[in-house]
Amino acid sequence: MSFKLPLFIFIVLIAATSTLFAQQNYSGTIIDSQTREPLFGAYVYLKNSDGETLSSTYTDFDGKFEIKKPGKNEFLVEVSFIGYQTLQENRTAPQGNDLGTFELLSDGQEMEAFELSADALTGEVRGDTVAFNANAFKTRPQADADELVRKMPGVVIQNGVIEVQGEEVMEVLVDGRPFFGDNPAAALKNLPAQVVLKIEFLDQKSDEARLTGFDDGETTKTINIITKPGMRAGRFGKFYGGYGTDNNYIAGGNMNFFNEAQRLSILGLSNNINQQNFGEDELGNIEGDDSRRGGNELAVGELPGITNTNAVGVNFSDEYQDEKLKVTGNYLFNDRDNVLTRSSSREYILPNDSLQLYNEDRNNQTRTQSHRMSARIDYNISERHALILRPRLGLDYRKSTTIRDAYNLFDESTPISRNQNTTTSERQSFNFRNSLNYRYKFTKEGRALSTYIYTSTYDSDSNSDLVAVNENFQTANVDSLIQFRNNLYSSFYYSTGISYFEPISERSRLRIGYRLSNNASDTDQEVEIQEAETDLVRLDSALTNRFENQYMTHRGRLGYSYKSEKLSVYSTVSYESANIDSDRLFPGFENTQRSFSNILPRVVVNYQLGEFSNMRVDYNTDTDAPSIRQLQDVISNANPMQISNGNPDLDQEYSHRLFTRFRKINPETNRSLMFFLYGNIRNNYIGNETFVAAKDTLIQKDVLLNQGGQYTRPVNLDNYYVFRLYGSYGFPLKFMKSNLNINSSFTVRNRPGIINGQENFNTNSTFSQGINLSSNINDRIDFNLSSRGSFNTVRSSLQEDLENNYYTHRTRADLFWNFLGGIFMGGSVNHQVYSGLGEGFDRSIMLVNLDLGYRIPPSNKTEIKLTVFDLLNQNVSIDRNVTDVYVEDERTQVLRQFFMLSITYNLRRFGGYDMAL
């Protein structure tokens, strides 16, 4: 592996910029003249007497800005912000660097009633931040913020995931403060569009970067919602309930109490139509998709199938000590009953042009209860001292019963074996995470010291009972298994580090840092089996295991940052020393130690190509250690036809990631163009080695694997890679007052694996083409049309002639029409096409939902609605999974046709007055 190029770039950048002459900046603050609140994102210009811009910048979350001195004693200060009057002041150069505080006046117009023409200004661009005026996009009066956001250029919302210019949004802020933690869908779904003044899309910097001002290249795609000044004090919300055929029901609502900085939001939800989180449509997760929200702290992972849910959520934020102390807190409780009925068909790719099939029918009933709590405390103790504290707590309980009927087959008409089993299981878990970032600023501008500590603890207690019967069709043998399993797992992780920042010039800084981390975990699994002949219960030493593991790393880091008006560069080189120390305590003692050392370079370049366009290049390297479950040398036979084991000899992964993005957004014309390229190459990728038994086989001389069964263990492999190219172009269609977005993507993923001793590469390539059309006509008619087709190819190196190509296409149309007084109609048509998946999975599905409702005048706050879901009774969920050694198709039972009558009440009260819709 060569690191000459990144190191050379790093050294050249330091040498090239360390000779820059030191210059000073002016600073100042922008606030609202009435509320005295800071204005985030206001544009600041310094101009000469001819109106030419000498320097420009924009304000941060505290309304503060720093701007380059113009080199003139007299200049004009101009401040602009959407929804406020532009301020212009002639200034003479002050003695110091402080320009003082500037107060902006509101436009004085009723922004919610202000009509923008097709050619009106829709927003502005400030570096990595793109801001759009909410009133330039028409939505129905009862719309939530998600309906507003999805109309903006480059935004796609699908299956609860929000993407902006191809990047997933991970956080939503309201007036610069976190709103419902890391759950963007819930934040947008529970905030009415009517209170929104402006929407900003930005690359949020890390906590350390915001504390120290040193750009470390770490960003999170974030939406910041700026509310209308007149609606930052009041009460607003929505309450709804409905009942339908087949005893289907839904009830819920949200209530928001805003008093400037002090804000409280309360959410409630109860239903049996698959709405499992607060960020979903009222008809819930109708397709039974289980691929969402894996990483959100304040959302639970979706369960496939049909789910009854009861949930409560709370969000609180406030400011204290003259805005020095900012506190945000969240709580979520979720209680679910889930029923899953799923059929799957799996095709194993074996050497010598041979195949083996695995078909499974599974019925699962699960009860889960989850508590999630999180908080964020930002404390600017003084001008020199500041800290950020983020505690997070989770409690989970899960109880399930699974009935499985599975076949191994040579082909569809020649079965090898059959396994019927029932598993009942129960698990309780607790996790607590906490991070503390502290910064100290020295008297010298740019010199700072920061330190952090992060801790995480996780404990779980689980048990399961398994009853299985296996039938071998080749030998006519029938055997049974009764097994009892108990597993205790605990882990404690800590990471702490310190960094020192030293300015080289006005535009460049150095960083020196050190980080220590340690992950200690242990698991104690005890398995007992019941003898069929005597009913005696005995310990199964082959499946019982006690295991301890420690993974400790030391990382030293040297970093460099440079920033000018158009160019910013961050580069770093880290040296990491890591050690894995594993002890198997039972059966028999065995110690395994592994040591690793790596150089980890990183380079991030941002360049402002023009007023509306920029480019970002991010090259990063990192390591990833195997988990304790991957290291633990113990067999798991939860499914006796597919048993697995760990591997204590695993090495850590080393990954190279490249992200390149070009973006051009012109908010004046509402046109956007974006391309990005993503690549990821992993050395020592932790993949799987799979053995398919040609006859009854003993694994580790003690555990029986019946003919046709699969035995899997993790191994290190090379040649894993994934590349993705994405592009989109959005523009307005003025003749129909709508916006059109065209997007294309190409993804190729290569997964290495070993099957029956031979290496295999499954290469999955996907080309997708999509369009999105959204109306911008008025608040009485609204439509959205999206269509996306994907052609997929799957190639196996073991069987190059084998084709598993397939095509999927999804088209969705949504319509709202308030055609007569308070009478409205709405609906959605979702057409899904699956081709090439095989018999029983190739489908053309038309999912039609219709609404007919009435809003009661004069306030229009109350609406009564009749809904028919799945009018044609065709709803079904189909999915394909491609791994290193097999291709699998799944079909899951989902909700079918029902009718529902519902009532909704919208509350808007600001300034002591009720507002009509």
Side-chain angles (χ1 to χ4, degrees):
M1 184 186 306
S2 174
F3 304 102
K4 292 181 179 179
L5 180 58
L7 287 171
F8 176 76
I9 294 174
F10 181 80
I11 294 170
V12 168
L13 286 172
I14 293 178
T17 58
S18 61
T19 57
L20 291 174
F21 295 101
Q23 300 181 20
Q24 292 183 326
N25 293 340
Y26 285 133
S27 62
T29 306
I30 312 296
I31 65 172
D32 184 295
S33 62
Q34 293 182 340
T35 67
R36 317 300 294 176
E37 286 194 351
L39 297 179
F40 164 61
Y43 237 131
V44 184
Y45 303 88
L46 300 186
K47 298 184 176 182
N48 61 18
S49 57
D50 296 325
E52 297 175 342
T53 299
L54 304 174
S55 57
S56 64
T57 188
Y58 49 90
T59 57
D60 61 18
F61 284 120
D62 296 317
K64 300 183 183 299
F65 67 88
E66 289 190 2
I67 192 168
K68 181 181 178 182
K69 288 185 176 180
K72 296 179 178 293
N73 288 329
E74 295 185 353
F75 50 88
L76 175 73
V77 179
E78 181 177 297
V79 183
S80 65
F81 189 65
I82 292 178
Y84 290 81
Q85 298 177 18
T86 298
L87 180 147
Q88 291 184 331
E89 289 187 10
N90 289 309
R91 288 292 185 97
T92 301
Q95 292 294 327
N97 298 325
D98 188 10
L99 292 176
T101 299
F102 298 85
E103 300 180 8
L104 295 191
L105 297 173
S106 173
D107 271 342
Q109 300 171 328
E110 290 296 326
M111 296 295 293
E112 60 270 17
F114 182 55
E115 292 286 337
L116 288 176
S117 68
D119 297 324
L121 178 67
T122 60
E124 56 190 352
V125 177
R126 304 182 303 275
D128 280 339
T129 300
V130 183
F132 290 100
N133 185 350
N135 288 288
F137 302 89
K138 307 303 178 186
T139 60
R140 58 192 181 94
Q142 292 78 12
D144 298 317
D146 65 333
E147 295 183 39
L148 171 66
V149 169
R150 73 168 69 238
K151 290 179 175 292
M152 296 182 173
V155 176
V156 176
I157 302 178
Q158 186 173 3
N159 290 339
V161 176
I162 306 164
E163 287 189 355
V164 176
Q165 303 295 331
E167 298 178 69
E168 183 177 350
V169 174
M170 303 305 294
E171 186 177 22
V172 169
L173 309 175
V174 176
D175 296 321
R177 291 186 287 273
F179 191 63
F180 276 98
D182 297 332
N183 192 346
L188 294 182
K189 192 65 181 175
N190 293 283
L191 195 69
Q194 195 175 24
V195 307
V196 179
L197 173 68
K198 184 168 65 170
I199 298 288
E200 296 180 325
F201 305 122
L202 61 144
D203 294 326
Q204 177 86 298
K205 295 180 181 179
S206 67
D207 288 345
E208 184 177 66
R210 280 178 282 171
L211 283 173
T212 64
F214 184 91
D215 188 354
D216 58 8
E218 299 291 341
T219 62
T220 301
K221 183 59 67 177
T222 302
I223 294 177
N224 183 42
I225 299 174
I226 307 285
T227 58
K228 296 174 182 177
M231 295 185 178
R232 294 173 186 169
R235 297 178 308 213
F236 57 92
K238 179 172 67 173
F239 307 92
Y240 53 88
Y243 187 80
T245 56
D246 301 324
N247 293 319
N248 287 315
Y249 69 90
I250 185 170
N254 62 79
M255 187 66 194
N256 301 273
F257 303 88
F258 277 28
N259 185 16
E260 300 301 340
Q262 186 180 84
R263 301 178 178 185
L264 174 66
S265 299
I266 303 173
L267 310 180
L269 174 66
S270 178
N271 74 97
N272 62 355
I273 57 172
N274 269 10
Q275 186 174 344
Q276 302 179 43
N277 284 285
F278 293 112
E280 299 174 6
D281 295 328
E282 291 178 15
L283 284 177
N285 183 14
I286 55 180
E287 297 175 24
D289 183 14
D290 59 341
S291 60
R292 295 187 270 167
R293 295 181 185 81
N296 286 337
E297 297 170 3
L298 293 175
V300 293
E302 299 285 352
L303 296 174
I306 300 174
T307 304
N308 299 359
T309 300
N310 297 289
V312 176
V314 180
N315 176 267
F316 172 79
S317 65
D318 202 355
E319 296 178 356
Y320 308 92
Q321 299 183 13
D322 297 326
E323 301 181 3
K324 289 184 178 181
L325 178 62
K326 300 178 181 179
V327 179
T328 301
N330 302 279
Y331 170 74
L332 168 74
F333 170 73
N334 191 290
D335 183 1
R336 293 178 293 170
D337 279 311
N338 171 265
V339 176
L340 170 66
T341 302
R342 171 175 285 176
S343 298
S344 60
S345 179
R346 183 180 297 181
E347 183 178 274
Y348 283 89
I349 302 168
L350 304 178
N352 304 320
D353 294 332
S354 60
L355 297 173
Q356 182 173 301
L357 306 180
Y358 173 81
N359 294 340
E360 177 185 285
D361 292 319
R362 177 154 58 107
N363 293 281
N364 190 76
Q365 186 164 355
T366 303
R367 171 75 183 275
T368 64
Q369 290 183 332
S370 301
H371 298 265
R372 300 279 192 274
M373 287 168 277
S374 70
R376 179 186 174 101
I377 300 171
D378 293 69
Y379 190 19
N380 289 315
I381 304 170
S382 65
E383 182 180 354
R384 301 193 184 282
H385 302 270
L387 62 83
I388 298 176
L389 179 67
R390 300 186 67 180
R392 284 152 285 187
L393 174 69
L395 296 167
D396 294 279
Y397 171 79
R398 180 186 181 102
K399 185 176 183 179
S400 66
T401 300
T402 301
I403 300 174
R404 181 184 285 112
D405 189 2
Y407 286 85
N408 284 315
L409 308 98
F410 290 118
D411 54 52
E412 290 292 352
S413 59
T414 311
I416 303 171
S417 60
R418 178 187 186 185
N419 185 273
Q420 297 172 287
N421 64 73
T422 300
T423 303
T424 59
S425 62
E426 189 173 10
R427 184 186 67 196
Q428 300 179 67
S429 63
F430 165 84
N431 71 84
F432 177 75
R433 292 177 289 163
N434 189 41
S435 63
L436 174 64
N437 290 72
Y438 167 79
R439 178 223 65 205
Y440 175 77
K441 283 186 176 180
F442 294 88
T443 54
K444 182 178 180 180
E445 184 72 22
R447 179 180 292 172
L449 182 73
S450 75
T451 183
Y452 83 93
I453 182 169
Y454 174 85
T455 59
S456 172
T457 182
Y458 178 84
D459 293 282
S460 69
D461 183 354
S462 61
N463 60 78
S464 64
D465 298 339
L466 170 66
V467 178
V469 176
N470 189 79
E471 182 179 2
N472 189 321
F473 294 104
Q474 308 303 305
T475 62
N477 288 334
V478 177
D479 56 76
S480 62
L481 172 67
I482 301 177
Q483 179 178 282
F484 311 99
R485 181 191 307 266
N486 181 261
N487 188 285
L488 298 174
Y489 174 79
S490 65
S491 68
F492 178 73
Y493 172 81
Y494 69 84
S495 177
T496 184
I498 186 170
S499 295
Y500 174 76
F501 305 89
E502 179 67 24
I504 302 175
S505 69
E506 177 199 9
R507 296 180 176 178
S508 58
R509 299 169 76 186
L510 277 179
R511 171 186 181 177
I512 301 173
Y514 168 75
R515 187 189 79 180
L516 168 67
S517 64
N518 184 48
N519 188 6
S521 54
D522 63 84
T523 180
D524 184 351
Q525 177 173 283
E526 185 176 282
V527 178
E528 297 177 324
I529 60 172
Q530 181 174 311
E531 300 286 357
E533 296 82 4
T534 64
D535 289 338
L536 292 177
V537 176
R538 64 172 177 85
L539 184 72
D540 190 334
S541 59
L543 302 178
T544 297
N545 183 276
R546 295 186 183 93
F547 193 83
E548 294 179 351
N549 181 69
Q550 281 201 85
Y551 178 69
M552 178 173 286
T553 64
H554 300 265
R555 181 179 291 191
R557 175 183 297 175
L558 177 64
Y560 169 78
S561 175
Y562 169 82
K563 186 174 184 179
S564 65
E565 291 185 9
K566 290 189 175 183
L567 176 67
S568 66
V569 178
Y570 168 73
S571 58
T572 184
V573 174
S574 301
Y575 174 78
E576 181 186 82
S577 174
N579 181 70
I580 295 177
D581 188 354
S582 302
D583 288 327
R584 187 183 68 190
L585 305 178
F586 183 88
F589 179 82
E590 182 177 345
N591 175 261
T592 303
Q593 295 190 25
R594 319 271 301 176
S595 296
F596 313 94
S597 59
N598 292 285
I599 296 177
L600 303 170
R602 184 177 188 186
V603 178
V604 182
V605 179
N606 283 286
Y607 185 67
Q608 194 73 23
L609 297 170
E611 182 180 5
F612 302 124
S613 60
N614 62 30
M615 176 173 283
R616 177 183 176 91
V617 179
D618 184 349
Y619 168 71
N620 192 16
T621 57
D622 205 356
T623 59
D624 192 14
S627 68
I628 187 173
R629 301 191 187 280
Q630 292 173 321
L631 291 167
Q632 188 178 7
D633 187 14
V634 58
I635 293 175
S636 172
N637 66 339
N639 180 355
M641 299 182 78
Q642 296 174 348
I643 67 177
S644 60
N645 197 4
N647 181 0
D649 296 324
L650 288 174
D651 292 338
Q652 61 177 190
E653 291 184 348
Y654 187 103
S655 64
H656 304 260
R657 289 191 296 271
L658 175 68
F659 177 80
T660 303
R661 180 189 67 197
F662 169 80
R663 182 178 66 190
K664 183 175 183 180
I665 301 177
N666 189 333
E668 297 180 3
T669 62
N670 206 16
R671 292 178 179 267
S672 65
L673 176 67
M674 198 279 295
F675 294 97
F676 78 71
L677 172 66
Y678 171 80
N680 185 356
I681 299 175
R682 298 187 197 177
N683 298 330
N684 286 327
Y685 166 70
I686 300 178
N688 289 315
E689 179 180 16
T690 301
F691 168 71
V692 179
K695 59 181 181 180
D696 289 355
T697 305
L698 286 178
I699 303 298
Q700 293 187 350
K701 301 180 181 180
D702 204 4
V703 179
L704 177 64
L705 179 65
N706 288 288
Q707 181 181 6
Q710 297 91 46
Y711 168 67
T712 303
R713 66 193 295 266
V715 291
N716 289 112
L717 300 165
D718 286 328
N719 294 318
Y720 172 93
Y721 60 82
V722 57
F723 295 101
R724 186 186 182 203
L725 176 65
Y726 177 91
S728 71
Y729 178 58
F731 56 95
L733 299 177
K734 295 183 179 181
F735 71 93
M736 60 184 301
K737 295 184 178 180
S738 300
N739 298 311
L740 181 67
N741 181 274
I742 303 171
N743 56 80
S744 304
S745 68
F746 176 75
T747 304
V748 57
R749 185 187 303 271
N750 189 70
R751 295 178 183 270
I754 297 176
I755 186 164
N756 284 7
Q758 295 193 32
E759 194 169 33
N760 180 55
F761 298 97
N762 265 2
T763 306
N764 183 198
S765 302
T766 303
F767 174 75
S768 299
Q769 179 66 52
I771 61 169
N772 294 276
L773 178 66
S774 62
S775 66
N776 200 25
I777 302 172
N778 55 50
D779 59 5
R780 298 182 65 85
I781 185 168
D782 185 32
F783 67 82
N784 291 279
L785 174 66
S786 63
S787 183
R788 188 172 187 83
S790 299
F791 180 73
N792 300 263
T793 65
V794 182
R795 292 290 182 269
S796 169
S797 62
L798 281 179
Q799 297 189 36
E800 296 182 356
D801 296 332
L802 182 66
E803 290 190 1
N804 276 297
N805 302 340
Y806 62 101
Y807 178 77
T808 61
H809 198 116
R810 294 192 175 192
T811 300
R812 175 164 180 157
D814 298 281
L815 172 68
F816 170 82
W817 183 23
N818 189 176
F819 60 91
L820 179 63
I823 302 174
F824 67 91
M825 65 175 296
S828 65
V829 178
N830 193 338
H831 183 218
Q832 305 171 48
V833 176
Y834 302 89
S835 177
L837 299 182
E839 184 178 352
F841 293 92
D842 286 346
R843 294 285 183 91
S844 176
I845 303 164
M846 185 74 73
L847 179 62
V848 180
N849 304 322
L850 295 178
D851 298 329
L852 180 64
Y854 177 67
R855 294 200 175 97
I856 300 176
S859 68
N860 293 324
K861 291 182 178 180
T862 304
E863 72 175 34
I864 301 173
K865 181 173 65 177
L866 177 65
T867 299
V868 54
F869 169 73
D870 192 13
L871 178 66
L872 304 180
N873 204 28
Q874 293 187 4
N875 192 26
V876 70
S877 173
I878 294 174
D879 196 18
R880 167 162 284 193
N881 303 310
V882 178
T883 72
D884 48 353
V885 294
Y886 65 79
V887 178
E888 180 181 58
D889 295 315
E890 294 180 335
R891 183 172 60 248
T892 304
Q893 181 182 354
V894 291
L895 282 173
R896 301 300 293 266
Q897 184 187 86
F898 67 86
F899 295 79
M900 178 172 286
L901 182 66
S902 63
I903 183 169
T904 301
Y905 176 75
N906 293 276
L907 173 66
R908 305 283 191 275
R909 186 174 178 83
F910 300 97
Y913 297 95
D914 289 330
M915 178 182 295
L917 299 182

